[in-house]
Amino acid sequence: MMKPSGIFLIICLGLSACAAPPEVKYGTDGKPLPRVYRLKESQLGEIQLRMLDGVNALRGAAGSGPLRLNAALNAAAATHSRDMSLQNRPWHFGSDGSSPIDRVARAGYPDELKGELISETYETELETLAAWAANPVEREILLDPAAQEMGFAYFQEPSGKLWWTLVTGGPDSISTVGATN
């Protein structure tokens, strides 16, 4: 015989499965409005690892070696994500005129920049990765066999808009710089 708490749990699970999906709101153009993907600062490490796993899955399928996270590249990515928000535009140059090469050097990265990917969006990190992977130029940066390390960070505005930056680096002298989603 089942205990009352077990029956209650089964009823709750059954009712939760009947919940209506979230309402989709549409803009004046008839397209669905973006849903805010709200992040907490405490999630940064988890998000970075999810992105690293996603990038490494793509690289593995393409025959490229895995990347590892690098603290200096993470710092360069975080600085640029915040700066793009302040400038209110996704581009590869900082408000002080700095290039991606300048930023990774300033962050103390001892090797060479291989590439930088940026995005201004309301999408999750994995949706952003999928968009980058679908673009041939951005995919080339993700799969660059000379890249050995990665930095990844975001800045989220109060409105929910996300500014993502992914930076790759390694010791080789071949560089691929810049692609925008």
Side-chain angles (χ1 to χ4, degrees):
M1 178 160 231
M2 196 176 267
K3 292 184 179 180
S5 61
I7 294 170
F8 180 73
L9 179 63
I10 290 171
I11 290 171
C12 287
L13 289 173
L15 289 175
S16 69
C18 297
E23 181 183 340
V24 177
K25 296 181 182 173
Y26 296 92
T28 56
D29 60 359
K31 294 181 180 177
L33 293 172
R35 291 185 26 193
V36 175
Y37 176 55
R38 192 64 65 189
L39 299 173
K40 298 176 187 158
E41 283 188 41
S42 63
Q43 294 176 288
L44 177 60
E46 174 187 326
I47 290 167
Q48 287 172 324
L49 289 175
R50 244 190 331 261
M51 179 60 84
L52 179 66
D53 288 345
V55 169
N56 282 338
L58 283 171
R59 290 175 64 86
S64 294
L67 299 179
R68 61 189 174 276
L69 283 175
N70 177 281
L73 292 177
N74 284 339
T79 299
H80 193 54
S81 291
R82 180 176 292 276
D83 190 50
M84 286 189 297
S85 171
L86 292 172
Q87 296 181 71
N88 196 32
R89 63 178 171 181
W91 78 321
H92 293 282
F93 292 93
S95 55
D96 62 356
S98 62
S99 72
I101 294 169
D102 298 329
R103 287 190 299 277
V104 298
R106 266 192 247 163
Y109 185 65
D111 289 324
E112 193 172 78
L113 173 76
K114 299 299 175 198
E116 178 179 82
L117 299 172
I118 58 175
S119 182
E120 166 196 19
T121 186
Y122 288 88
E123 296 178 330
T124 70
E125 66 279 2
L126 296 179
E127 290 170 319
T128 301
L129 176 58
W132 286 335
N135 178 296
V137 172
E138 294 167 337
R139 185 177 183 84
E140 185 177 321
I141 291 169
L142 290 168
L143 302 179
D144 181 358
Q148 296 178 1
E149 297 178 304
M150 178 183 104
F152 181 69
Y154 67 89
F155 179 77
Q156 186 165 40
E157 296 179 354
S159 68
K161 183 191 286 186
L162 286 157
W163 300 86
W164 300 106
T165 305
L166 185 147
V167 186
T168 60
D172 204 328
S173 63
I174 303 169
S175 275
T176 307
V177 179
T180 306
N181 176 24

